[in-house]
Amino acid sequence: DGKLEIWEGETEETFSPIYLKTSEGLVRHQIGQFPLLNQEAALSALEAAVKAYDNGRGKWPTMSVGQRIECLQDFAYRMKEKRGIVVNLLMWEIGKSYTDSCKEFDRTVDYIEDTIDALKNLDRVSSRFEISEGVIGQIRRAPLGVVLSMGPANYPLNETFTTLIPALIMGNTVIVKAPRPGVLLNYPLLEAFKEAFPPGVVNTIYGQGRLISPPLMESGKIDALAFIGTSRAANNLKKQHPKSHRLRSILGLEAKNPGIVLPHADLDLAVKECILGTLSYNGQRCTAIKILFVHTAIIDKFLEKFTTAVNNLKFGMPWEDNVFLTPIAEPGKPNYLQELVEDAKQHGAEVINEAGGMINETFFYPAILYPVNDKMKVYSVEQFGPVVPIVPFDDIETPINYLVKSDYGQQVSIFGQNTEAIAQLVDPLVNQVCRVNINSQCQRGPDTFPFTGRKDSAEGTLSVHDALRAFSIRTLVAAKDI
Ligand code: G3H
């Protein structure tokens, strides 16, 4: 309720994925602790958000758009002052490289500015118009109410803010459930939220989602769920709402994006982009390329170049120059990845690169698996880590069918130099995914572009424009004889 209170309840320690050398040997470094809120505390955050919204009559939802923009600008200004500490926390808590941590911070600030610009354009579209003779209409975009925004651990700042910011600017009040890992960067921002927004407008909560999210959803007082994570968790949350037809959901979920390397591909370019697509930030991006289909005519050359490129990738601490592979934050992840590798080996694949699949402290050496087939788990499940399954193909129907049958439909990347062949492939692919990349990796950015997926990959679309629509209702005011 606008007050920063000292939490006297249970807390959880946050350990970095980075090991430090001490006199007692290598130890995982404790970098902080955070309040493990109980259900009562989560419900009081909800009450603060409900009170600030006050059924659409609160100060925030009734403020002019211009005033809300000023608050957002003020917040962006205060946030920029926290760049150093937030970037450090991204490196230490989730093991993201310095370059990528800076990118995550900067694109988030840009997103705030782009959202403000987009809103100005959205307003222009909504100006007055004549509905029929003597009847003047005006479109108003009105808020939904209370939004629960839950971001993921791999992009704890950017992905959280891509729902938080548009929700706020449209006049909603928001509860932000901070991800674990990725929780600590919220601390330096609390003061900025407090200074920039009226009490109860932004409410950050911490703790175990499985304990503190159900009472929020079961209260029936959440009007929109903005969630980035697994489809299973999203479905559970939605089911907890007593009147799910009243709940608007904006979801970013799993993906299994294929890369397709055609016989006429420029192999150096394809390898460079496939390395970025499969392994940047250790493959922990929802937009990563998670399976490669390579034509048999060029498979030997591709494997040789790809393996050499992987062997040359630099492992190291997030702050080191040119580092590419960094410690993995999620404690159970390396073992999970090894299980996928073992399963693939049992079904006939080999790890074709030296040390592939090895665990060293919190590092996981990328495993290139070849040849991969549909009997292996890694063929269809999202690995979300540095494991690269490669499937040889002769017939282009093989990767197309893969997408048709897949539970996911976010993106695809195709690599080739024969323009006609690529053009023919684009048509069947746009019917399966929401972004087709030609000769480049899969990616979300620029964040102003529509970002969504088919099937189990998403619900709703996130671009700055789409997000403004997602967090508001289009209302018509029709005036006769005025
Ligand atoms: O994990 C999902 C992120 O939005 C990915 O963004 O493709 O720009 O890395 P990116």
Side-chain angles (χ1 to χ4, degrees):
D1 199 12
K3 288 179 232 125
L4 291 181
E5 285 172 17
I6 302 297
W7 172 248
E8 286 173 353
E10 222 184 318
T11 57
E12 188 172 279
E13 291 166 345
T14 305
F15 288 91
S16 172
I18 294 160
Y19 278 72
L20 286 188
K21 278 192 189 125
T22 69
S23 52
E24 286 155 30
L26 286 173
V27 290
R28 218 172 153 160
H29 189 49
Q30 191 195 331
I31 48 172
Q33 56 182 17
F34 63 92
L36 217 43
L37 296 194
N38 53 23
Q39 299 195 342
E40 197 189 345
L43 283 172
S44 77
L46 173 66
E47 283 318 312
V50 169
K51 189 171 154 205
Y53 188 69
D54 191 16
N55 289 311
R57 293 170 303 181
K59 183 173 173 190
W60 187 248
T62 54
M63 210 180 245
S64 74
V65 170
Q67 283 171 311
R68 285 205 292 264
I69 287 177
E70 272 174 32
C71 292
L72 262 294
Q73 282 167 334
D74 180 32
F75 174 75
Y77 175 80
R78 292 170 193 280
M79 181 177 162
K80 281 187 221 168
E81 293 183 334
K82 311 282 182 194
R83 186 177 189 269
I85 175 108
V86 172
V87 164
N88 260 323
L89 287 169
L90 284 167
M91 289 195 288
W92 278 93
E93 194 180 354
I94 63 162
K96 193 169 272 195
S97 72
Y98 175 74
T99 313
D100 286 345
S101 297
C102 289
K103 254 191 228 161
E104 177 161 356
F105 187 91
D106 295 340
R107 74 193 273 189
T108 307
V109 173
D110 288 347
Y111 190 86
I112 300 178
E113 283 154 11
D114 290 340
T115 303
I116 291 170
D117 286 347
L119 182 61
K120 290 176 185 160
N121 290 331
L122 200 74
D123 267 350
R124 214 167 296 140
V125 175
S126 320
S127 57
R128 287 164 189 226
F129 62 99
E130 191 174 334
I131 298 178
S132 58
E133 209 182 321
V135 184
I136 301 297
Q138 187 187 35
I139 303 290
R140 295 268 194 95
R141 286 222 155 250
L144 302 174
V146 176
V147 175
L148 174 60
S149 165
M150 300 174 79
N154 62 335
Y155 279 84
L157 182 71
N158 182 254
E159 291 281 359
T160 306
F161 273 56
T162 55
T163 62
L164 168 66
I165 296 302
L168 282 177
I169 210 165
M170 295 315 288
N172 302 281
T173 59
V174 185
I175 300 163
V176 177
K177 158 68 179 72
R180 306 154 57 221
V183 59
L184 294 184
L185 63 86
N186 287 280
Y187 286 128
L189 299 178
L190 285 181
E191 199 67 33
F193 282 134
K194 185 172 174 269
E195 302 282 348
F197 300 106
V201 172
V202 187
N203 308 274
T204 309
I205 59 170
Y206 316 88
Q208 295 175 289
R210 65 186 172 80
L211 291 182
I212 58 175
S213 307
L216 301 182
M217 296 303 290
E218 284 159 9
S219 73
K221 293 177 183 172
I222 299 293
D223 299 292
L225 172 67
F227 175 84
I228 318 276
T230 65
S231 43
R232 201 171 59 125
N235 283 333
N236 282 342
L237 285 164
K238 281 167 73 171
K239 276 190 221 146
Q240 288 158 7
H241 196 290
K243 292 191 177 172
S244 56
H245 57 279
R246 286 196 187 177
L247 180 75
R248 187 172 291 192
S249 305
I250 297 95
L251 311 175
L253 308 170
E254 299 107 310
K256 186 79 181 176
N257 298 333
I260 306 171
V261 187
L262 298 167
H264 39 83
D266 171 337
L267 286 190
D268 290 326
L269 173 70
V271 166
K272 182 175 152 260
E273 291 293 322
C274 287
I275 292 281
L276 289 172
T278 54
L279 294 174
S280 37
Y281 187 41
N282 306 306
Q284 302 171 117
R285 296 159 58 229
C286 62
T287 49
I289 293 179
K290 295 192 180 113
I291 188 162
L292 285 172
F293 288 84
V294 182
H295 197 274
T296 50
I298 39 112
I299 186 87
D300 291 342
K301 272 193 191 155
F302 180 87
L303 291 180
E304 191 193 320
K305 281 176 184 279
F306 192 78
T307 309
T308 308
V310 170
N311 289 342
N312 287 333
L313 293 175
K314 182 174 170 183
F315 280 89
M317 292 303 162
W319 50 85
E320 287 176 31
D321 283 343
N322 302 319
V323 69
F324 197 83
L325 297 158
T326 50
I328 290 182
E330 209 184 305
K333 181 55 75 63
N335 287 337
Y336 166 72
L337 295 173
Q338 267 191 346
E339 279 167 28
L340 284 180
V341 171
E342 281 313 308
D343 171 77
K345 278 161 74 176
Q346 275 168 25
H347 290 90
E350 278 179 45
V351 176
I352 61 166
N353 57 318
E354 214 180 303
M358 252 180 51
I359 298 174
N360 184 4
E361 296 162 12
T362 42
F363 287 103
F364 187 92
Y365 289 74
I368 310 172
L369 290 168
Y370 178 81
V372 163
N373 63 47
D374 60 2
K375 305 210 168 36
M376 304 167 188
K377 283 188 195 143
V378 75
Y379 184 83
S380 46
V381 305
E382 184 187 46
Q383 65 271 42
F384 220 80
V387 170
V388 187
I390 303 186
V391 185
F393 77 92
D394 285 312
D395 184 349
I396 193 62
E397 285 305 312
T398 305
I400 297 177
N401 275 334
Y402 176 84
L403 273 169
V404 171
K405 290 186 188 152
S406 173
D407 281 337
Y408 309 115
Q410 191 200 68
Q411 300 192 22
V412 63
S413 283
I414 46 181
F415 299 93
Q417 294 300 320
N418 179 333
T419 325
E420 216 171 292
I422 289 177
Q424 276 179 14
L425 197 47
V426 170
D427 280 348
L429 291 179
V430 290
N431 290 352
Q432 303 304 326
V433 294
C434 292
R435 176 162 166 167
V436 178
N437 303 281
I438 298 165
N439 289 322
S440 76
Q441 62 157 324
C442 297
Q443 59 196 309
R444 171 176 179 170
D447 296 339
T448 44
F449 287 2
F451 179 49
T452 184
R454 295 167 183 264
K455 299 189 254 187
D456 289 348
S457 283
E459 186 174 330
T461 301
L462 284 172
S463 67
V464 287
H465 288 92
D466 290 299
L468 291 173
R469 293 191 181 97
F471 292 105
S472 60
I473 282 179
R474 208 164 180 249
T475 309
L476 174 67
V477 179
K480 199 176 169 195
D481 291 337
I482 261 187

